[in-house]
Amino acid sequence: MKNFTKRMFITLFVLSLAFTFSNQNNTVMAEDLPGPQLVTNAWMFIAAYKADPEILKAMLPEGLEPNPEGQVVINMYTVPNGNETSGLGPYTLTYLTVELAGQDSYVMNSDTTIPGRYFIFYFNSSPLMREFTEKAGIPVNENTNVMTTTDVKDGKLTATLTVDGKPFIVSTADVGNELGNFSGGHLNYFGLIKEEMNGKIINKVVKFPIPWNGGVVDTQNAKVMIKAPKDHPLHKVKPIADPTWAIWTKGSFVYPQYQVVNEYMTDSPKK
């Protein structure tokens, strides 16, 4: 019995050391997290709505043109369990993109294509995620105290982005509870990396070809409301009509590894 107790103590001690060193290694890796990263089974509210087309065009870098429909695509979701990612940990996110012309991606086993999307706003609650995405050319708009929540009660979905505890975006929709229409494919997202060199700014337009799959539930009567203060840049892309489409979807996707597709130089801003 004494030998058994001794062996058990040694085993538990070794396991505790392994767990400690494993956590230390994860921390080190997180400081320089490589792309791509996997996210699984995330419930997301995604909607497209029309906004001022001239404003959308002005927000794009050289080499990218807005889709003639003049639409913004918004995505609001939460990842409460870090086990659903390959290294990103838990986070919440609301982002807005401009739909692009000539950058369509595909849906598997379908003639349907999806317009490319350029990131214009990005509100992530995780410091790790903000550091990871900023290096990849995705804008980080508020660095602290941002949170996205999604709640379904009696068939009514409410998705809310708060900044410093104040609602900036509130979206609602009537949603079902039967998940179906499973599909997959690629989505072409784009961002911009800026690097300063010899008084010039090197602008690198980058592409993120993102594989995805998932299913949707019935989604109707969607609305997206911008409630940020009127002097906040979000008001530039406020909806001019209700969404043209919206989905409440459970999906998996890869978080990105970029490709440089265009590069140009501009003058550095005067200090």
Side-chain angles (χ1 to χ4, degrees):
M1 186 68 178
K2 288 183 178 179
N3 288 337
F4 175 78
T5 303
K6 183 177 180 180
R7 288 198 301 270
M8 284 297 297
F9 175 79
I10 293 173
T11 300
L12 290 173
F13 178 72
V14 170
L15 286 174
S16 69
L17 284 178
F19 180 77
T20 300
F21 284 120
S22 174
N23 280 349
Q24 289 175 348
N25 288 337
N26 287 340
T27 301
V28 172
M29 290 176 63
E31 292 176 357
D32 190 23
L33 198 64
Q37 293 288 327
L38 178 66
V39 179
T40 62
N41 298 320
W43 277 100
M44 299 171 283
F45 172 75
I46 308 174
Y49 66 82
K50 291 185 179 296
D52 187 321
E54 293 303 316
I55 288 177
L56 300 187
K57 185 175 182 179
M59 300 180 82
L60 298 179
E62 288 185 18
L64 297 179
E65 294 293 331
N67 188 288
E69 295 294 324
Q71 292 196 138
V72 170
V73 174
I74 183 172
N75 190 346
M76 308 178 75
Y77 70 98
T78 69
V79 180
N81 189 343
N83 293 333
E84 294 171 345
T85 78
S86 57
L88 299 173
Y91 67 94
T92 75
L93 175 59
T94 292
Y95 67 75
L96 292 87
T97 61
V98 175
E99 282 194 330
L100 302 173
Q103 302 291 348
D104 289 4
S105 52
Y106 74 93
V107 177
M108 68 177 181
N109 302 321
S110 171
D111 294 332
T112 301
T113 58
I114 301 174
R117 301 167 183 172
Y118 176 77
F119 283 104
I120 54 173
F121 291 101
Y122 188 88
F123 302 90
N124 196 305
S125 63
S126 165
L128 173 62
M129 283 284 287
R130 293 196 295 267
E131 181 181 355
F132 175 76
T133 53
E134 195 166 24
K135 290 178 180 177
I138 300 174
V140 175
N141 298 103
E142 266 80 3
N143 287 326
T144 58
N145 202 18
V146 298
M147 183 65 62
T148 298
T149 59
T150 57
D151 179 65
V152 178
K153 185 176 182 180
D154 298 327
K156 174 70 79 173
L157 165 69
T158 302
T160 305
L161 166 69
T162 59
V163 178
D164 293 328
K166 299 176 182 178
F168 268 42
I169 301 176
V170 178
S171 299
T172 60
D174 297 324
V175 297
N177 54 22
E178 186 173 340
L179 191 65
N181 294 320
F182 292 92
S183 189
H186 268 80
L187 290 169
N188 292 332
Y189 279 79
F190 293 80
L192 183 66
I193 297 175
K194 293 187 176 185
E195 299 174 353
E196 188 168 0
M197 182 181 296
N198 299 325
K200 297 286 186 179
I201 298 293
I202 301 174
N203 301 273
K204 297 180 180 180
V205 180
V206 294
K207 177 181 178 179
F208 317 111
I210 297 178
W212 63 274
N213 65 28
V216 299
V217 300
D218 183 46
T219 307
Q220 299 182 29
N221 304 318
K223 295 186 181 298
V224 175
M225 295 161 281
I226 304 292
K227 295 181 174 289
K230 290 185 178 180
D231 60 350
H232 193 280
L234 270 173
H235 270 275
K236 293 181 180 180
V237 296
K238 63 181 181 295
I240 59 178
D242 285 341
T244 56
W245 60 262
I247 56 173
W248 180 229
T249 175
K250 185 179 185 180
S252 302
F253 51 92
V254 170
Y255 225 93
Q257 193 168 26
Y258 66 81
Q259 307 167 355
V260 178
V261 295
N262 188 32
E263 188 172 315
Y264 61 96
M265 298 186 72
T266 55
D267 292 328
S268 296
K270 295 181 179 179
K271 297 181 179 180

